[in-house]
Every structure is written in structure tokens, then in C-alpha cells.
Amino acid sequence: EPSNLVELVRQPQTEARALDAASQIFAQAGLHVAICFDFAGRIIDRLVRPYYNAALRRLDEGLATADDLDTTLKLGLGYPEGPIALLERTGLAHHFDVSQTLFEAYGESAYAPARRARVAKLRQGK
């Protein structure tokens, strides 16, 4: 399900009144606005893609089963859905695309797509 979050990008020359006006329009439509600066990647992707990659890597290492990893994060941290289930639902190939773009933009190893995402992307091409 799409969320009611809108990430509004603030350019270096953006005037505060323009941001306020755009924020009000989105708020009137029932949306929540988060303002970010002009960087590659959205706030949400910059924060969660390393987390998803870490979860996939722990799964590959054999730390626990996918169900046990998900259960631990749901019950231990109160997340509504575990990372493995979420990625399987939303698409590992999509996760690869987003993570790879962030990795190319920033070169940070946390954004390097995990093996399972790479495999899913390769399988999608067949």
C-alpha cells in the first residue's frame, strides 16, 4: 500500500514560502510532508536500504531463518512487518535497483545490494 508520505525536495535556491505553499497543498490532500535537501535518493531509501541489505546478509550467513529474523524484529522492535517478508512482498529485484543506484551515487558499502537481491535481479532478466 502506498503511504501518505510525500518527500518534498528543497533545492538550494528554494524559497521558504514556496516550500510552505507546497506543504499546505499536500497537507490539504491528507498527506504528510517531509522536507529533504537535494541528494540522490529519498529519505526513506537512504535510511532503510542499508537495513534491508543487512537483514539479507544475516540471512545468507545463517544467523536465523527468514521467519525468525522477521519475528525478532516484529516482536523485539515493534515493526509491523519483518524486512525479509517486506522485501519478498515488494520485490527483491526492485530493492536491487534502488540499492544499486544509491551504491553508485555514494559508493558506501551499506548500499551495495545483498546477494539475494542480485540473484533476484538476474532471474528477472531471464
Side-chain angles (χ1 to χ4, degrees):
E1 292 285 322
S3 76
N4 62 347
L5 171 67
V6 172
E7 291 187 21
L8 191 57
V9 177
R10 179 184 187 144
Q11 299 290 322
Q13 303 303 319
T14 302
E15 294 184 19
R17 63 189 165 127
L19 284 174
D20 290 342
S23 295
Q24 286 178 15
I25 291 169
F26 287 123
Q28 289 170 357
L31 302 168
H32 294 277
V33 176
I35 297 174
C36 62
F37 293 98
D38 191 16
F39 289 93
R42 301 180 314 143
I43 297 169
I44 191 72
D45 288 326
R46 297 275 309 272
L47 294 174
V48 300
R49 297 303 166 171
Y51 158 71
Y52 294 154
N53 281 324
L56 290 169
R57 288 184 182 110
R58 299 307 80 83
L59 182 60
D60 282 346
E61 290 170 359
L63 176 64
T65 66
D67 286 341
D68 287 336
L69 287 170
D70 283 348
T71 297
T72 299
L73 288 165
K74 288 189 310 189
L75 297 178
L77 297 175
Y79 291 2
E81 184 174 20
I84 307 303
L86 187 145
L87 286 170
E88 288 175 354
R89 181 175 55 79
T90 60
L92 283 166
H94 173 70
H95 171 68
F96 172 87
D97 291 337
V98 176
S99 293
Q100 183 65 31
T101 299
L102 291 169
F103 180 63
E104 290 170 6
Y106 296 108
E108 295 178 22
S109 61
Y111 294 125
R115 183 194 65 80
R116 287 174 188 259
R118 290 182 180 281
V119 169
K121 183 65 176 180
L122 289 172
R123 287 184 177 160
Q124 184 184 50
K126 292 182 180 180

